[in-house]
Amino acid sequence: MGCVFSLPRERQAAAARVTPQRETSFIDKMKKTNRNMVAFYGSQTGMAEEFCSRLAKDAQRYGMSGMSADPEEYNMSELRRLSEIDNSLAVFCMATYGDGDPTDNAQDFYDWMQETEEDLTGVNFAVFGLGNKTYEHFNAMGKYTDKRLKELGGNRINALGMGDDDGNLEEDFISWKEQFWPAVCEHFGVEATGDNTSIRQYKLVVLTDINVDKVYTGEMGRLKSFETQKPPFDAKNPYLATVATNRQLNQAGNRHLMHLDLDISGSKIRYDSGDHVAVYPINDISVVNRIGQILDADLDAVISLNNLDEESNKKHPFPCPTTYRTALTHYLDITNPPRTNVLFELAQYATDPKDQETLRKMASASIEGKGLYQSWILDARRNILAVLEDMPSLHPTIDHLCELLPRLQARYYSIASSGKVRPSSIKNIRICAVVVDFQTSTGRRFKGVATNWLKNMVVTDNSHKATVPMYVRKSQFRLPYKASNPVVMIGPGTGIAPFMGFLQERGMMKEQGKDVGETILYFGCRHRNEDFLYQQELQEFQKIGVLTQLNVAFSRDQEEKVYVQHLLKKNMEHLWKLIHTDNAHIYICGDARNMARDVQNTFYDIAEEAGGLTHTQAVTYIKKLMTNGRYSQDVWS
């Protein structure tokens, strides 16, 4: 995938965050609107937020009245007052980010939990964590929230749930809910209504007479923000960067590895080596048109979906008013497999009882249902269009479908350049990524949204230049403060991206006459003649002495596969000296599930064999390097 993050991994620095103005009290709001359950989300990609919305929506089926809430918008010290509301409950869906960090919007809540000694006696709570087992600090935020609220005297009414995004997060959440709601009913002495009919959250308003200047056409926040661009640029106000370069990096093979330069001259956007660029992609127009065709919908109708709960902070599921075409193109995720709650809600629209039963079964927590969802939806990579095509009796209203589908999220890439090196007149952000395109078991082609959209960006000399909505997200992946510190960089495939920026920066330091320490790169690819990315640039860095050692593992150029960890092992004596004696910094970018884990195990071996440590001592030694910021990872799963 390249250094692409389906879940962002480095927490943005607190200084870079914009804190919304807090409401005085979520307790007062709950009292005013007769709610007794609040679901707080610590969310970076929208998944935890969606889970909270689903819990708040489900509450009325279980004798409760719920609301979903962003902890960043409220004073969380008010939590102690929750006991003022009869039969009240606080639920927390907390995602873990980076090395066990809170998400941006949960940072203040996390700080409060660490510092407070508030007495939460009488406060009922439950926690569901969202994490990924390929990362070392699995579900750290969920675990900490559950433990800390209990320590402060809170009453846990259901066991901590731990979702694993490396497995099936949706399935984990459903299994936890199957325990959670009976626990709620038992604790509060309420009964499930048994009413499984659809509960709409938004009301459709069709606007037949509206000024086109009032209609959103793909903007993330301010209306017309793409026409009049004003800094600062962030997630709600992305910058339209012109595509200056778009070329294929690999010489051969069945994959397409691409390099793009995004021109940010004049934008006042600043970035450092190791930062990430967030890109807002656009869905495949042919898929949008086909959905409209199947649903007999007028895609150009101007509509607004308005929250039925007038007190909710979330007035619309996406920017409104807009057209169905814009919603399906810019705002909704129509490419990934639909989640179980979508299938459950859609079941009512299937005229064939068998289709209705299949959809409801896949949305259930039964073993058979989970297996069916895994095989028919996930393994087959069926998106919402494939579901509609393969179930001809399923004909939902387009407004309800748009209400149910999750938001299309920004895609994150490690920047493959340094913002300090380019002359001020030409300022580019480089992206290096592999295009996702493969055939599914149903014979359809699955195309990654962002990479295929970017691949088709044509660079022209005329006035109609291709543009990409983007912003920069700060990272903790940084070169050492002292240029004299040696650096060891390990980045197979498109994991090389941030190291191109590191090398540019080390080269600039060398030109300035600074004492630059050893700069070593371990790169891996399949074949020397196919996908040796940035070969000429790397060899030039080596020629001028910026890159003191270039170690390349060509995994498939010989009978026995050779990976970066094998080359690390070969150089263990020198590596141990750099780490143990010369204060070297280690950087790893790439796949978390296999490569990063194998590399970490190799460093344990190096500490044991070259350093003479026991295995326990070696693990402690490498963990200490991590704590001290000398072993950094920029990885994805």
Side-chain angles (χ1 to χ4, degrees):
M1 286 284 289
C3 264
V4 181
F5 300 79
S6 52
L7 285 173
R9 303 300 179 192
E10 299 290 347
R11 187 178 65 77
Q12 195 166 354
R17 288 189 291 121
V18 178
T19 305
Q21 192 166 354
R22 288 184 177 81
E23 298 208 8
T24 49
S25 166
F26 67 86
I27 298 294
D28 292 346
K29 184 170 182 177
M30 289 175 73
K31 287 180 176 179
K32 180 183 171 187
T33 57
N34 294 315
R35 316 291 174 106
N36 59 354
M37 184 183 113
V38 57
F40 289 106
Y41 53 85
S43 189
Q44 200 71 36
T45 65
M47 184 71 95
E49 181 179 359
E50 186 189 317
F51 284 173
C52 281
S53 293
R54 283 157 67 173
L55 288 169
K57 194 173 169 183
D58 283 347
Q60 56 190 292
R61 293 190 174 113
Y62 296 91
M64 305 285 283
S65 178
M67 63 178 257
S68 175
D70 182 344
E72 196 171 38
E73 294 179 358
Y74 296 98
N75 179 359
M76 294 304 290
S77 66
E78 291 282 303
L79 199 56
R80 60 184 162 73
R81 291 184 54 209
L82 192 63
S83 56
E84 295 173 14
I85 299 171
D86 290 340
N87 288 348
S88 58
L89 168 66
V91 188
F92 296 85
C93 291
M94 307 300 289
T96 299
Y97 187 36
D99 293 324
D101 298 327
T103 57
D104 290 350
N105 79 309
Q107 181 65 41
D108 292 342
F109 173 51
Y110 175 70
D111 293 342
W112 173 80
M113 283 193 290
Q114 287 193 306
E115 295 161 10
T116 190
E117 289 304 328
E118 294 274 12
D119 182 5
L120 299 186
T121 302
V123 173
N124 300 306
F125 75 91
V127 179
F128 180 80
L130 295 83
N132 188 310
K133 272 188 177 156
T134 61
Y135 292 86
E136 187 163 350
H137 303 281
F138 175 58
N139 257 313
M141 265 306 287
K143 290 173 183 173
Y144 180 77
T145 303
D146 183 70
K147 172 174 164 281
R148 188 65 182 134
L149 295 179
K150 185 67 179 170
E151 286 173 352
L152 293 170
N155 179 39
R156 183 193 293 122
I157 70 156
N158 192 47
L160 167 67
M162 289 198 286
D164 177 19
D165 194 40
D166 188 48
N168 188 333
L169 198 55
E170 176 76 15
E171 185 179 302
D172 295 335
F173 179 63
I174 291 171
S175 297
W176 179 78
K177 274 204 312 174
E178 288 288 307
Q179 306 299 319
F180 169 73
W181 286 119
V184 169
C185 291
E186 183 180 349
H187 183 82
F188 295 113
V190 294
E191 289 186 12
T193 61
D195 180 10
N196 278 335
T197 56
S198 176
I199 301 169
R200 290 295 296 265
Q201 192 175 347
Y202 298 94
K203 176 179 70 175
L204 171 67
V205 178
V206 180
L207 304 157
T208 53
D209 186 20
I210 185 170
N211 185 333
V212 291
D213 288 337
K214 306 278 187 185
V215 179
Y216 281 88
T217 57
E219 305 94 325
M220 295 302 148
R222 178 175 56 85
L223 190 67
K224 301 296 177 188
S225 63
F226 289 161
E227 290 179 22
T228 37
Q229 296 253 279
K230 296 175 185 174
F233 298 105
D234 54 27
K236 291 191 176 175
N237 182 36
Y239 177 68
L240 284 179
T242 303
V243 179
T245 310
N246 187 352
R247 62 186 171 91
Q248 185 167 350
L249 283 170
N250 52 318
Q251 309 301 312
N254 55 8
R255 299 181 304 161
H256 183 103
L257 294 110
M258 63 181 171
H259 167 98
L260 283 96
D261 281 313
L262 302 181
D263 187 352
I264 56 168
S265 305
S267 67
K268 297 185 179 175
I269 291 173
R270 296 183 175 213
Y271 71 94
D272 292 306
S273 308
D275 283 345
H276 305 136
V277 58
V279 166
Y280 282 106
I282 291 172
N283 284 317
D284 187 330
I285 305 303
S286 65
V287 177
V288 173
N289 288 336
R290 181 76 179 117
I291 290 173
Q293 183 186 18
I294 289 177
L295 300 183
D296 301 320
D298 176 6
L299 292 180
D300 296 311
V302 179
I303 57 107
S304 184
L305 289 176
N306 300 339
N307 203 319
L308 290 164
D309 176 8
E310 293 179 0
E311 297 296 329
S312 174
N313 287 2
K314 192 174 182 178
K315 302 302 179 189
H316 314 282
F318 43 78
C320 288
T322 190
T323 63
Y324 288 123
R325 186 182 304 281
T326 298
L328 291 168
T329 305
H330 294 272
Y331 299 137
L332 298 170
D333 186 346
I334 60 174
T335 299
N336 282 311
R339 296 182 192 137
T340 53
N341 67 303
V342 176
L343 301 180
F344 178 82
E345 297 272 2
L346 292 182
Q348 63 184 299
Y349 295 104
T351 53
D352 184 335
K354 283 185 180 176
D355 286 348
Q356 205 171 99
E357 185 188 350
T358 299
L359 289 165
R360 290 211 168 109
K361 187 180 287 181
M362 285 192 288
S364 74
S366 70
I367 293 171
E368 188 185 355
K370 287 177 181 178
L372 187 58
Y373 178 73
Q374 182 68 45
S375 61
W376 202 78
I377 296 288
L378 297 182
D379 294 345
R381 298 297 295 182
R382 274 185 174 87
N383 59 20
I384 191 62
L385 174 57
V387 171
L388 293 171
E389 286 179 337
D390 292 347
M391 282 191 171
S393 89
L394 180 60
H395 205 269
T397 62
I398 190 167
D399 61 293
H400 199 181
L401 182 67
C402 287
E403 174 181 321
L404 293 170
L405 290 173
R407 283 292 295 269
L408 181 61
Q409 299 292 330
R411 271 38 177 189
Y412 296 88
Y413 301 87
S414 286
I415 298 174
S417 52
S418 168
K420 294 177 181 175
V421 174
R422 301 272 181 186
S424 57
S425 57
I426 307 167
K427 199 174 178 191
N428 288 344
I429 279 180
R430 296 168 113 191
I431 292 177
C432 165
V434 59
V435 176
V436 178
D437 188 346
F438 59 88
Q439 191 171 50
T440 70
S441 59
T442 67
R444 296 179 173 94
R445 281 177 74 186
F446 181 90
K447 291 185 171 188
V449 176
T451 53
N452 281 276
W453 175 64
L454 289 170
K455 177 191 171 187
N456 294 319
M457 288 286 176
V458 179
V459 180
T460 61
D461 292 326
N462 61 33
S463 57
H464 299 289
K465 294 188 182 293
T467 56
V468 173
M470 51 71 65
Y471 67 96
V472 168
R473 189 186 63 205
K474 293 294 175 187
S475 161
Q476 307 293 322
F477 204 66
R478 288 280 179 268
L479 279 169
Y481 178 72
K482 283 186 179 178
S484 57
N485 285 124
V487 299
V488 179
M489 305 172 291
I490 302 143
T494 51
I496 196 172
F499 303 136
M500 297 308 293
F502 281 12
L503 287 168
Q504 286 180 6
E505 200 163 317
R506 298 277 273 193
M508 181 190 70
M509 292 172 182
K510 205 169 179 69
E511 278 181 15
Q512 292 168 346
K514 291 182 181 173
D515 176 20
V516 178
E518 280 195 60
T519 306
I520 297 170
L521 174 66
Y522 286 84
F523 172 67
C525 62
R526 295 178 182 182
H527 302 282
R528 179 188 290 272
N529 297 325
E530 282 189 12
D531 50 1
F532 189 168
L533 306 185
Y534 300 113
Q535 180 179 358
Q536 288 181 326
E537 285 184 54
L538 291 173
Q539 288 171 343
E540 183 59 29
F541 278 127
Q542 192 174 24
K543 185 179 172 183
I544 62 176
V546 174
L547 191 52
T548 48
Q549 219 183 92
L550 174 59
N551 306 281
V552 187
F554 302 106
S555 64
R556 300 179 190 184
D557 271 352
Q558 60 285 311
E559 198 173 317
E560 193 175 319
K561 288 185 179 175
V562 176
Y563 297 115
V564 285
Q565 59 266 29
H566 299 131
L567 302 188
L568 288 167
K569 205 86 182 277
K570 276 186 181 178
N571 298 330
M572 69 164 66
E573 299 292 341
H574 182 56
L575 284 167
W576 178 249
K577 177 185 176 295
L578 288 174
I579 297 164
H580 193 62
T581 310
D582 300 340
N583 205 34
H585 287 235
I586 300 163
Y587 300 91
I588 295 143
C589 182
D591 161 51
R593 186 183 290 114
N594 299 307
M595 183 277 298
R597 188 179 288 167
D598 290 342
V599 166
Q600 192 168 325
N601 287 330
T602 301
F603 276 109
Y604 294 156
D605 292 343
I606 290 170
E608 288 178 57
E609 294 174 37
L613 306 182
T614 66
H615 181 69
T616 304
Q617 288 171 331
V619 171
T620 303
Y621 187 94
I622 299 301
K623 296 284 171 68
K624 191 174 179 184
L625 290 182
M626 292 178 180
T627 305
N628 294 337
R630 285 181 52 207
Y631 189 109
S632 305
Q633 299 185 90
D634 187 357
V635 292
W636 67 88
S637 64

